[in-house]
């Protein structure tokens, strides 16, 4: 189905676009050729924000949970693997 991008960020090296969707999906897209480097289904909630560290080594996602709390997670940029959950 359609992607329904809500938020996106480009890494400082201008190589990777990370997209957060309305249905809790995070995608890493190689800007040079449009290939998907990684794709993760988090939870069925809106990914509200995506932001990179200044050095581009990782990025953060933010989303609201069903119970009203917020989830903030850090991800490895080149591998798309979860590093840590901050909240």
């Amino acid at each position: 189905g359609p992607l329904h991008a809500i938020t996106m960020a480009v890494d400082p090296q201008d190589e990777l676009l990370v997209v957060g969707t309305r249905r809790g999906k995070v995608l890493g897209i190689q800007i040079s050729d449009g290939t998907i480097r990684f794709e993760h289904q988090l939870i069925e909630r809106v990914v509200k924000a995506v932001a990179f560290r200044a050095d581009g080594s990782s990025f953060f996602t933010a989303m609201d949970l069903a119970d009203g709390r917020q989830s903030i997670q850090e991800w490895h940029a080149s591998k798309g693997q979860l590093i840590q959950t901050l909240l």
Side-chain angles (χ1 to χ4, degrees), residues 2-3 8 20 22 26 28 35 43 52 55 63-64 76 78 86:
L3 186 62
M8 60 187 77
R22 182 178 67 170
V26 174
T35 52
I43 56 174
F52 275 92
D55 66 2
M63 57 180 27
D64 294 331
H76 193 281
S78 64
L86 301 168

Side-chain angles (χ1 to χ4, degrees), residues 5-12 14-20 26-29 31 38 49-53 58-61:
I6 297 295
T7 184
M8 60 187 77
V10 175
D11 78 318
D14 207 26
E15 297 173 356
L16 180 68
L17 172 68
V18 175
V19 177
V26 174
L27 296 97
I29 303 170
I31 293 173
F38 56 83
V50 175
F52 275 92
R53 281 191 181 272
S58 65
F59 64 92
F60 298 86
T61 57

Side-chain angles (χ1 to χ4, degrees), residues 20-41:
T21 73
R22 182 178 67 170
R23 297 206 170 153
K25 191 174 281 191
V26 174
L27 296 97
I29 303 170
Q30 186 71 36
I31 293 173
S32 61
D33 61 9
T35 52
I36 296 177
R37 287 185 20 193
F38 56 83
E39 183 174 347
H40 298 292
Q41 180 67 52

Side-chain angles (χ1 to χ4, degrees), residues 66-87:
D67 63 6
R69 293 178 302 129
Q70 191 172 54
S71 171
I72 298 176
Q73 295 179 311
E74 182 178 13
W75 302 82
H76 193 281
S78 64
K79 301 174 188 172
Q81 296 172 328
L82 182 65
I83 294 172
Q84 64 178 330
T85 298
L86 301 168
L87 290 176

